[in-house]
Amino acid sequence: MEYRRRVLDDTLDDFFPHLAALALEGAKGVGKTATAARRARTVLTLDDPAQQQVLAADLDMVVRAPSPVLVDEWQLEPPVWDRVRRAVDADPTGGRFLLTGSAGVAPGVRIHSGAGRIVSLLMRPMAMSERNLATPTVSLRDLLSGERTTIEGRSPATLPVYTEEILRSGFPGIRDLPERLRRTQLDSYLTRIVERELPENGVTVRRPGALRAWLTAYAAATATDATYSAILDAATPAEPDKPARQTVDIYREHLRRIFVLDPVPAWIPTFSPLRRLTRSPKHHLVDPALAARLVGVGADGLLRGQGKPPTATAGTWLGALFESLVTQSVRVYADAAQARVGHLRTKSTDREIDLIVEGDDLRVVAIEVKLAATVSDSAVRHLNWLSDQIGDRLADRVVITTGEYAYRRPDGVAVVPLALLGP
């Protein structure tokens, strides 16, 4: 299969020649190994038991092997991390080691943080710009600059296309499969999480069905900040003997550790007059295709409005999944710009903005997501409110849509079809 260049490749091109060791982290199937292997002369694959045993017996192999050396799934042999760290201390020459991992180290396993020696980068499933639907005409990095760049372009993507992209997933090895096989692979991915990935990472799953039900309830809460108690209640509505909250918290912690849960934290601004903001995260799985499979609504059903809205005040289930698709892409582009992504909601719930992208200079781009081709004045009222609150710190205001054209409204708000947004 032909390699598709990723946004992260640009960051690797910039960083790796100057850094001795880079770690690519992310959920299984996002493409870490394929991306890293393109830069490696030696590949050590630790999910191969034979190679893991050889490396465990002789950690110095990573130093003797022709560099760059890729250690794939390094967390299966945690001492390799410290061996690489010591090698970097001894010789900080750039471009020597790549480590890929689909989980953090298991609880109780102690390793040095690697701070100052090993730089970690997170890889997510494919953003929209990586899927070759259209050539992006609007750059998130340019929006963060605050220079009021020209907003223009015409998108070929329609609502059915975005719906199909949600269901195809951003996993490179899954998205181009025939539809029936793709669904089977996504179902298998979810089954492996419960039956293999969590146990391999030190978690005993005594009630797989209960965990699967909790994951389904979490998926149904996509793009909301529903409480974890509400999600647990939704997972077991007719069961008096519910899983203990502590048990569910352990599952949730480990699902985040293997990058399956990817919640968006609340944005709490620094040096800002904003008060009484919620601190609850917005819920997202690593890919909205997994949420769609868990809930069990296909393309026709989504387009007909099937699927229970995640909250009484939310839009359609398709709208929640579209927001998750947008969030996935925006986070990839924000990482490339070394920016952070959060969401804003007041405790009174009278103000809410879907995504806040904040750069190192504390300037922000505020983004609303609309499952619509047109944008009304009511759709931008919270963006304009934030402009009044933080003034020049607001670099730009954006509404991401399923529409055809990118343009600026008379009030200055940028309207951008998702397919036209890029890094």
Side-chain angles (χ1 to χ4, degrees), residues 218-219 221-225 282-284 310 319-321 323-324 327 352 354:
Y218 185 94
T222 289
T224 77
D225 61 354
K282 264 193 174 182
H283 307 304
H284 293 276
L321 292 176
E323 181 178 332
S324 193
T327 299
E352 181 175 2
D354 294 325

Side-chain angles (χ1 to χ4, degrees), residues 183-249:
R183 291 198 302 265
T184 299
Q185 286 286 69
L186 288 168
D187 289 341
S188 296
Y189 189 103
L190 291 163
T191 299
R192 285 198 305 271
I193 290 169
V194 176
E195 296 183 357
R196 179 178 173 183
E197 301 301 331
L198 286 176
E200 281 186 353
N201 283 277
V203 183
T204 300
V205 181
R206 293 187 173 87
R207 298 172 61 185
L211 175 55
R212 178 76 179 228
W214 186 88
L215 264 174
T216 300
Y218 185 94
T222 289
T224 77
D225 61 354
T227 66
Y228 291 115
S229 295
I231 293 173
L232 179 57
D233 288 342
T236 55
E239 294 185 23
D241 182 23
K242 299 178 184 294
R245 173 66 183 269
Q246 182 180 8
T247 299
V248 173
D249 287 347

Side-chain angles (χ1 to χ4, degrees), residues 76 90 111 191 234 236 398:
L76 297 177
I111 62 169
T191 299
T236 55
V398 182

